[in-house]
């Protein structure tokens, strides 16, 4: 690269350094905080790169927030944060005094996951579950003691079970997770469910309302890697069926009244002939007396039948059950622009 100085300027600068008029040492810099950064770290935000995962987290937050509020009778809401891909060694840095750590099973063949609950939120949920309507920690109480009583552990385990249920529902269409809280882990060294160099997806959820704090879960990346293609593709519409809603809808549909018509036949006439029609004129239809008559339900051909007379009234004997709609050209009214069709109900 060429120097921005010409040769005369370089010679003058070197002469000034030799004469001591210009110092050769580097200039002093002001003291500024230095933040270490590991260039080999694989931490990265994956929001937007896995839209299906984002959709799953949104559903988990919705189901968990509503069910947790119903169980504790508190006004609680949950919102997902951006998921992060990081090493388990970096996840271990979150195992501090400000979090309670729980080990959860993801179900047979899916390994373990780590749940972390902030101490302030932990205290608030315990207070709410045990009947304290305020459910907020006192000022200055930012840390929770390391040891929980058996009663407190059981209560928190039941509350985290609500999160596991929401997780199972939300992941059902992608992976058959069956999460279950196994134990509370007071020793962070025992909470490493994978090698420090293995990757994990860290999903966090902000709880707001009567209690505030963060719930986080670290899922081994190897667990979800087989369905990575599904997670990176746009989310599909849910295929799960609400049995109670389906039964209620079916019951309501049974009471809907529909129009049923039987077409005796068709004919085409000119408009001039139509104007000349008078009482007693005969119109010959295109149907024979032995051919089945089409039956229309809400304007769509669904069945066929044979005409009969029963107790002095016209009737139709069905020759088959319901079937799919007929092509447009076979529906009543097709071709009406070319002429008029005469029908007898």
């Amino acid at each position: 690269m060429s120097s921005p100085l010409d040769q005369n300027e370089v010679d003058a600068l070197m002469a000034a350094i030799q004469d001591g008029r210009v110092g050769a040492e580097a200039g002093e810099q002001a003291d500024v905080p230095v933040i270490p950064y590991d260039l080999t770290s694989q931490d990265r935000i994956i929001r937007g790169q896995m839209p299906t995962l984002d959709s799953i987290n949104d559903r988990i937050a919705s189901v968990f927030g509503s069910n947790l509020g119903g169980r504790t009778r508190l006004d609680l809401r949950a919102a997902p944060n951006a998921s992060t891909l990081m090493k388990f060694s970096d996840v271990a840095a979150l195992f501090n005094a400000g979090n309670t750590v729980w080990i959860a099973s993801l179900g047979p063949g899916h390994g373990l996951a780590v749940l972390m609950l902030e101490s302030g939120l932990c205290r608030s949920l315990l207070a709410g579950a045990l009947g304290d309507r305020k459910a907020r920690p006192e000022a200055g109480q930012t840390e929770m003691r390391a040891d929980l009583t058996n009663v407190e552990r059981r209560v928190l385990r039941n509350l985290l079970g609500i999160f596991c249920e929401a997780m199972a529902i939300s992941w059902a269409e992608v992976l058959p997770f069956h999460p279950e809280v196994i134990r509370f882990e007071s020793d962070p060294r025992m909470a490493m469910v994978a090698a420090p160099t293995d990757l994990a997806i860290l999903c966090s959820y902000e709880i707001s309302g009567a209690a505030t704090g963060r719930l986080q879960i670290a899922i081994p990346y190897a667990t979800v890697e087989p369905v990575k293609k599904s997670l990176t593709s746009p989310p599909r519409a849910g295929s799960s069926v609400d049995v109670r809603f389906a039964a209620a809808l079916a019951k309501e549909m049974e009471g809907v009244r529909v129009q049923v018509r039987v077409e005796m036949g068709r004919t085409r006439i000119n408009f001039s002939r139509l104007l000349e029609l008078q009482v007693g004129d005969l119109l010959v239809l295109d149907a024979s007396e032995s051919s089945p008559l089409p039956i229309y339900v809400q304007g769509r051909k669904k069945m066929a039948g044979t005409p009969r007379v029963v107790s002095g009234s016209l009737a139709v004997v069905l020759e088959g059950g319901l079937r799919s709609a007929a092509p447009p050209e076979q529906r009543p009214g097709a071709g009406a622009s070319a002429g008029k069709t005469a029908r007898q109900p």
Side-chain angles (χ1 to χ4, degrees):
M1 179 182 295
S2 60
S3 173
L5 303 177
D6 58 26
Q7 187 60 40
N8 294 332
E9 292 172 334
V10 172
D11 294 341
L13 179 59
M14 295 300 296
I17 293 175
Q18 292 176 357
D19 295 342
R21 291 176 292 166
V22 177
E25 61 275 357
E28 296 182 358
Q29 296 182 355
D31 293 336
V32 294
V34 178
I35 302 176
Y37 183 78
D38 183 6
L39 295 177
T40 64
S41 174
Q42 301 186 47
D43 300 4
R44 57 181 181 270
I45 304 299
I46 57 177
R47 177 177 288 277
Q49 300 178 17
M50 294 187 177
T52 299
L53 178 61
D54 296 338
S55 177
I56 291 173
N57 287 335
D58 289 338
R59 188 175 183 187
I60 290 175
S62 176
V63 175
F64 175 58
S66 60
N67 292 349
L68 182 63
R71 183 70 61 87
T72 59
R73 298 184 181 275
L74 298 174
D75 180 19
L76 296 175
R77 295 172 298 276
N81 291 329
S83 301
T84 307
L85 190 65
M86 59 172 57
K87 294 180 181 179
F88 260 101
S89 59
D90 298 323
V91 175
L94 302 175
F95 302 160
N96 50 42
N99 288 328
T100 56
V101 182
W102 301 77
I103 304 301
S105 170
L106 296 177
H110 297 298
L112 302 176
V114 182
L115 280 166
M116 291 162 284
L117 192 65
E118 287 186 351
S119 60
L121 177 60
C122 184
R123 184 183 298 276
S124 298
L125 293 180
L126 276 175
L130 296 177
D132 186 357
R133 299 299 95 189
K134 296 180 181 179
R136 286 187 180 273
E138 298 178 2
Q141 293 182 347
T142 57
E143 293 187 1
M144 195 168 187
R145 60 183 182 275
D147 294 331
L148 297 172
T149 65
N150 290 333
V151 173
E152 291 173 335
R153 293 185 185 184
R154 188 174 184 85
V155 172
L156 286 175
R157 184 172 180 176
N158 290 336
L159 294 179
L160 291 176
I162 301 175
F163 176 80
C164 292
E165 293 174 0
M167 187 175 175
I169 294 172
S170 303
W171 277 90
E173 299 178 9
V174 180
L175 276 175
F177 281 159
H178 299 284
E180 180 183 3
V181 178
I182 298 178
R183 68 180 186 272
F184 166 74
E185 194 57 70
S186 58
D187 187 353
R189 294 172 299 178
M190 302 299 295
M192 292 296 294
V193 298
T197 56
D198 288 352
L199 294 177
I201 295 180
L202 183 67
C203 303
S204 61
Y205 307 88
E206 292 288 342
I207 310 299
S208 59
T212 57
R214 180 179 299 176
L215 170 65
Q216 297 173 296
I217 181 170
I219 303 174
Y221 183 74
T223 301
V224 300
E225 188 173 12
V227 294
K228 178 182 177 181
K229 185 176 180 180
S230 299
L231 296 177
T232 54
S233 61
R236 299 176 300 174
S239 60
S240 58
V241 177
D242 189 330
V243 178
R244 291 181 300 175
F245 176 78
L249 180 60
K251 185 176 180 180
E252 291 293 329
M253 291 294 294
E254 290 175 356
V256 176
R257 300 178 65 88
V258 295
Q259 182 189 54
V260 180
R261 293 189 300 167
V262 180
E263 185 181 274
M264 303 298 294
R266 297 187 183 189
T267 188
R268 289 176 179 268
I269 59 175
N270 296 328
F271 188 72
S272 59
R273 170 67 174 142
L274 177 65
L275 297 177
E276 296 174 355
L277 289 177
Q278 297 181 6
V279 178
D281 288 349
L282 182 65
L283 292 177
V284 180
L285 304 179
D286 58 359
S288 65
E289 59 178 337
S290 61
S291 62
L293 303 179
I295 301 175
Y296 294 90
V297 179
Q298 290 297 119
R300 294 176 179 269
K301 186 178 180 180
K302 293 292 184 179
M303 298 175 285
T306 305
R308 291 287 188 274
V309 177
V310 179
S311 301
S313 299
L314 293 176
V316 177
V317 179
L318 299 181
E319 296 184 353
L322 289 172
R323 61 188 182 188
S324 58
E329 62 272 8
Q330 297 181 8
R331 296 177 186 170
S337 60
K340 298 297 181 179
T341 301
R343 300 185 181 89
Q344 180 179 346

